[in-house]
Amino acid sequence: MKSRLRATIAALLLTTAVAAGITLADNAASPQGDTTWGAPAGDTTWGAPAPDRTVIAPLDTTWG
């Protein structure tokens, strides 16, 4: 029984390692965007258009 359990665990670990290796190789081979998180330029977190940056509001420096 123990050898069968060990063989099953070894097979699961090997499968996980192979899947991780394939994922890493695919990620390394694919072209990356030039943004920090890998999103294409102009893409925003929730799919909304980029905000208008023409008006810059001053920072609030008060304590209350």
Side-chain angles (χ1 to χ4, degrees):
M1 180 67 180
K2 285 188 178 183
S3 64
R4 188 175 197 180
L5 181 62
R6 286 183 188 169
T8 303
I9 291 172
L12 288 173
L13 289 174
L14 181 63
T15 303
T16 303
V18 169
I22 291 171
T23 301
L24 289 173
D26 183 49
N27 191 22
S30 64
Q32 301 297 319
D34 61 354
T35 59
T36 304
W37 299 104
D43 190 14
T44 58
T45 304
W46 301 106
D52 184 14
R53 301 284 184 193
T54 57
V55 177
I56 300 175
L59 296 175
D60 184 11
T61 56
T62 61
W63 287 95

